[in-house]
Amino acid sequence: MRKVVLYIAMSLDGYIADSHGGVEWLKGQGNDEENIDTYSEFVENIDTVLMGWNTYHQIVTELSPTEWVYRDLTSYVFTHNKDCSTKQICFTNENPIDLLKTLKPQNGKDIWICGGANLIGQLMCENIIDRYYISVMPVLLGRGIRLFGEFPNQQELRLVKTQSYNGIVELIYECK
């Protein structure tokens, strides 16, 4: 069965965006030559990406306005907007839990939860995330959008791997 995987970066104090929704702080402490490309290795095992509207909007307006960066993946965007789906992007107002219950048993690679906090919170409440890839960035924001809000039940995790480079610490956990 396919795994549901959260792959995301956060500040040391637990934020995925600053108080204005910005992510300009997503960088290491040195220059880019010191970075390791863990994304390419990660995405080899992914064929589907899920995200909320705010994450989608930030990608197409700020991070990559000229091309869809996940063109090789099937993308689902959860929204109440009436956008027209394309071959690459499916806009849906379906309950994310219901969609994952449909997608998870299908043949394919793993399913990536790209963001945002609202979607992640819904999935955590149902304990549906199987693996957590969290890159902790060398910055303290003090406020903004928290990665983990409140959720009803404690979730036990098992540390699978750690690595650090350029001031960034990557943590990989699986649910017990």
Side-chain angles (χ1 to χ4, degrees):
M1 188 174 291
R2 301 164 79 182
K3 296 214 181 283
V4 176
V5 182
L6 174 65
Y7 181 92
I8 200 161
M10 71 175 191
S11 65
L12 180 59
D13 52 349
Y15 297 100
I16 58 172
D18 65 25
S19 59
H20 303 289
V23 293
E24 299 81 27
W25 51 271
L26 285 175
K27 57 185 175 278
Q29 64 190 14
N31 56 39
D32 286 340
E33 290 105 40
E34 296 176 39
N35 284 334
I36 298 172
D37 182 15
T38 59
Y39 172 79
S40 294
E41 181 181 331
F42 165 78
V43 83
E44 285 178 8
N45 299 313
I46 301 294
D47 65 6
T48 305
V49 60
L50 278 60
M51 68 188 72
W53 169 258
N54 290 338
T55 301
Y56 166 78
H57 188 260
Q58 186 171 53
I59 291 168
V60 298
T61 60
E62 295 175 44
L63 302 176
S64 183
T66 58
E67 71 174 306
W68 182 238
V69 292
Y70 306 126
R71 65 184 170 277
D72 296 330
L73 306 175
T74 301
S75 301
Y76 291 89
V77 178
F78 295 97
T79 180
H80 295 293
N81 297 328
K82 301 291 183 199
D83 292 1
C84 292
S85 295
T86 66
K87 183 179 176 191
Q88 294 177 318
I89 306 168
C90 176
F91 295 96
T92 181
N93 64 0
E94 185 175 353
N95 179 304
I97 307 304
D98 293 340
L99 179 61
L100 280 168
K101 285 179 180 176
T102 301
L103 294 175
K104 201 169 172 170
Q106 294 177 356
N107 289 333
K109 296 180 180 182
D110 291 342
I111 302 164
W112 172 20
I113 308 304
C114 181
N118 186 348
L119 175 60
I120 294 164
Q122 290 176 62
L123 301 178
M124 287 187 69
C125 284
E126 296 295 322
N127 202 19
I128 202 163
I129 300 172
D130 299 303
R131 190 176 300 133
Y132 295 78
Y133 284 75
I134 300 174
S135 296
V136 181
M137 309 307 282
V139 62
L140 296 166
L141 295 177
R143 61 183 174 187
I145 300 171
R146 282 212 169 274
L147 172 54
F148 300 117
E150 292 185 21
F151 48 93
N153 300 311
Q154 176 177 311
Q155 296 181 18
E156 298 285 330
L157 304 174
R158 183 176 61 85
L159 182 64
V160 176
K161 182 179 178 182
T162 64
Q163 69 178 356
S164 65
Y165 56 90
N166 199 8
I168 300 166
V169 177
E170 289 194 343
L171 306 166
I172 303 174
Y173 292 94
E174 289 186 350
C175 289
K176 284 188 171 181

